[in-house]
């Protein structure tokens, strides 16, 4: 992804647009990666583990170092 695409990717995760748990109008749909639990950022860290065991706050930090993890989440969807 380009820098612009990376900025959009980080923004989508920060705003909660990449997790279904924040979209109450959808109901309780299952995770798009494992198909079992409600999709939230906390669940995604369990479902698609981060190699360095970072917290959600560290994942969404301003430096955007975890963009590779975000791409891995999106790439692994059912």
């Amino acid at each position: 992804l380009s820098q612009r695409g990376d900025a959009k990717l980080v923004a989508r995760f920060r705003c909660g647009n990449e997790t279904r748990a924040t979209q109450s109008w959808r109901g309780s749909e299952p995770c798009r990666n494992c198909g079992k639990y409600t999709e939230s950022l906390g669940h995604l860290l369990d479902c698609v583990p981060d190699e360095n065991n970072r917290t959600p706050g560290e994942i969404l930090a301003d430096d955007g170092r975890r963009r590779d993890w975000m791409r891995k989440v999106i790439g692994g969807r059912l």
Side-chain angles (χ1 to χ4, degrees), residues 4-5 10 12-13 15 24 40-41 44-45 47 49 51-52 57 60 65-66 68-69 72:
R4 179 177 162 88
V10 172
R12 289 187 59 78
F13 271 90
C15 293
S24 60
S40 66
L41 185 58
L44 285 175
L45 283 169
C47 187
E51 302 84 33
N52 298 319
L60 301 176
R65 287 179 290 159
R66 303 313 310 156
D68 56 335
W69 178 83
K72 189 171 156 183

Side-chain angles (χ1 to χ4, degrees), residues 10 12-22 31 38-50 54-61 66 69-70 73 77:
V10 172
R12 289 187 59 78
F13 271 90
R14 281 187 186 164
C15 293
N17 292 339
E18 286 298 331
T19 59
R20 289 184 168 177
T22 57
C31 173
T38 302
E39 186 176 308
S40 66
L41 185 58
H43 168 70
L44 285 175
L45 283 169
D46 292 334
C47 187
V48 183
D50 176 51
R54 290 190 168 102
T55 64
E58 292 169 328
I59 293 269
L60 301 176
R66 303 313 310 156
W69 178 83
M70 295 175 191
V73 167
R77 292 193 171 149

